[in-house]
Amino acid sequence: MRSLQRTPVESGDGSLVRDSSLVWLAGGIVGVSFGAVSVAGGLPVWVPVLMSVLVYAGSAQFSAVGVLLAGGGPVAAAVTGLLLNTRTAAFSLAVAEIIGSGRATRLLGAHLVTDETVAFALAQSDPVRRRRAFWISGLGLFAVWNVGVLAGATAGSALGDTARYGLDAAFPAVLVALVLPALRADAAVRRCALLGAAVALAVTPAVPAVVPVLLALGGLLLHRPPAGTGAAA
């Protein structure tokens, strides 16, 4: 007979779902905005919906749709989205061991890599919890994002100008909440973050939107591993 006592893993999963819900809520709200903006601009409903399932790239999707609505072709839109998503290459390296092994697992995991999911996973205290956090957060965010996009695209122009709702502030607010614990706990992380933020702010007026984010990775130059953690011979 199965015991009614909850295991630590089950209990931990419950806390991960609870903590992920804020990310999911933000994702759903921004997804509604993306779907509505796309259809209100003249694209058919299936374009943002299919893009969200196959591309699933958040800000890159907004940029690609912006290019299309401005009269650019599909190639220009794809190149713009690809440029914006180059930052996920660094994120993928950070979670490569967290995702798990197996070709199918890594392929699906790579599709779920987002700023929010990576930040949420890396904020956890041990490797097992990080892996579970990645999959719980990633799968949930993917589902909520796509439901939000479908809802926004179906509503179309009925929502009016979505910019007036301030929906673009949802994801940055969530990211700040996710990284604050690490910033408080580790002075080395704070130094890296401050340098990265300074670099990003300095170059923002002179470079395209995605470039400051990539250059902010230069803050990692200040990172030093703890004593005794050097590479093994």
Side-chain angles (χ1 to χ4, degrees):
M1 183 176 181
R2 183 178 177 180
S3 170
L4 296 179
Q5 182 178 5
R6 296 178 68 189
T7 66
V9 168
E10 290 171 335
S11 177
D13 285 355
S15 68
L16 290 174
V17 170
R18 182 195 65 228
D19 295 342
S20 296
S21 61
L22 178 62
V23 181
W24 298 343
L25 176 61
I29 292 172
V30 179
V32 170
S33 176
F34 172 71
V37 166
S38 301
V39 173
L43 295 177
V45 170
W46 65 268
V47 171
V49 171
L50 189 62
M51 182 186 293
S52 294
V53 173
L54 299 180
V55 179
Y56 184 53
S59 60
Q61 291 181 224
F62 276 98
S63 298
V65 164
V67 171
L68 291 175
L69 295 181
V75 173
V79 170
T80 300
L82 183 61
L83 175 62
L84 280 171
N85 252 24
T86 51
R87 70 188 189 282
T88 60
F91 298 160
S92 298
L93 292 175
V95 297
E97 296 302 320
I98 295 175
I99 291 175
S101 58
R103 182 173 299 178
T105 299
R106 288 185 174 273
L107 182 62
L108 177 59
H111 193 55
L112 299 178
V113 169
T114 65
D115 308 49
E116 299 75 27
T117 297
V118 170
F120 184 71
L122 295 181
Q124 307 308 312
S125 57
D126 63 82
V128 173
R129 187 170 174 84
R130 286 174 185 166
R131 178 169 297 178
R132 301 188 74 82
F134 176 86
W135 286 105
I136 290 173
S137 173
L139 290 170
L141 183 58
F142 179 79
V144 172
W145 169 264
N146 280 280
V147 169
V149 171
L150 178 60
T154 302
S157 58
L159 294 177
D161 182 11
T162 56
R164 71 184 182 211
Y165 302 124
L167 300 181
D168 54 336
F171 267 151
V174 169
L175 282 175
V176 169
L178 288 175
V179 302
L180 274 179
L183 293 175
R184 290 183 181 132
D186 193 328
V189 173
R190 286 196 297 273
R191 289 193 297 270
C192 294
L194 286 172
L195 176 59
V199 170
L201 288 173
V203 302
T204 293
V207 299
V210 68
V211 177
V213 178
L214 297 176
L215 295 180
L217 294 174
L220 295 175
L221 294 173
L222 291 183
H223 185 266
R224 296 291 182 273
T229 60

